Amino acid sequence: MKGAAPGDTSPTVGAPRDYRLLVPREWFRVDLMRDRWRAQLKTFVDRQSQGRNVSAELKRDVWTTLRNTAEAGRARGAMEFFLLTTSRDGGLPASLLVSLLPRGETPADPEKYAAWLELREPEGPGRRQVSVVELTAGPAVRVLGAATLNVHVLMPGGVGYLTLSFSSPLTGMGGPMERLCDAIAGSVRWVR
């Protein structure tokens, strides 16, 4: 199963072997479970700068930002990194990190998990909206911010949560982008 703990060979009863996720074709996928993920990120940066007047410094900055995001994600259980670039200047309008959040201090019940997350949200205009939604894959905790959407899908068998962390810094998380991210989250299926 993607994201299983290293060296953990004992499957959890009822736990899925894997997951499936539908992501539009124009999103570039980086497999963070393989050693070649850095080369995949470099390929992405090179493709996005091709035919554009992009300085070496900007390419290096974009590469560094994406590498740091991928490394931080890997440290927190990220398995896949999807990148969408559709703007003419090569800006990154959206990204998605898919991670496994194993059970631990996180409440197994989605309602309790949502309440737990809600308590940690600071007061004020930047406060994110926390709710529980029902997806085809099961109950999920949805956390919506101005430019982010995190969907924590409860995994069968008490494994933990499959977390989809969307970011849309250029357009914000509203309207069509929010609907697209919700559709991607709604496509999660478990492989038994």
Side-chain angles (χ1 to χ4, degrees):
M1 177 178 169
K2 293 178 184 174
D8 183 11
T9 57
S10 60
T12 305
V13 176
R17 286 183 302 122
D18 209 341
Y19 65 90
R20 294 284 178 253
L21 179 68
L22 296 176
V23 178
R25 189 180 330 227
E26 44 293 338
W27 291 57
F28 186 89
R29 179 182 179 266
V30 177
D31 185 349
L32 296 176
M33 301 295 288
R34 303 200 185 259
D35 289 336
R36 65 176 188 242
W37 68 267
R38 284 181 182 84
Q40 289 176 325
L41 278 181
K42 181 168 180 354
T43 298
F44 175 78
V45 172
D46 289 345
R47 282 185 190 170
Q48 295 310 309
S49 61
Q50 193 173 25
R52 296 184 172 116
N53 190 15
V54 177
S55 69
E57 181 181 1
L58 179 59
K59 274 180 70 172
R60 192 173 41 255
D61 289 349
V62 169
W63 154 250
T64 301
T65 299
L66 292 176
R67 184 203 61 214
N68 290 346
T69 301
E71 285 177 347
R74 280 176 47 103
R76 293 186 314 274
M79 302 172 288
E80 294 182 288
F81 191 19
F82 292 91
L83 304 161
L84 172 64
T85 298
T86 55
S87 62
R88 291 190 178 141
D89 65 356
L92 187 70
S95 66
L96 164 62
L97 266 173
V98 181
S99 309
L100 173 64
L101 182 62
R103 277 198 53 210
E105 295 180 22
T106 307
D109 176 76
E111 294 287 343
K112 290 180 182 173
Y113 187 30
W116 186 77
L117 289 172
E118 184 94 41
L119 286 174
R120 284 153 182 74
E121 280 298 313
E123 293 297 328
R127 185 177 176 90
R128 300 180 303 170
Q129 301 170 3
V130 180
S131 60
V132 176
V133 296
E134 190 64 39
L135 303 177
T136 303
V141 178
R142 185 178 186 272
V143 184
L144 177 65
T148 61
L149 172 63
N150 295 327
V151 181
H152 308 277
V153 186
L154 181 64
M155 296 180 68
V159 176
Y161 290 88
L162 181 71
T163 298
L164 285 68
S165 299
F166 297 94
S167 177
S168 182
L170 296 181
T171 62
M173 193 56 68
M177 184 57 73
E178 181 180 355
R179 287 190 296 276
L180 173 62
C181 295
D182 279 332
I184 292 171
S187 76
V188 171
R189 301 293 186 271
W190 305 119
V191 177
R192 303 262 179 205

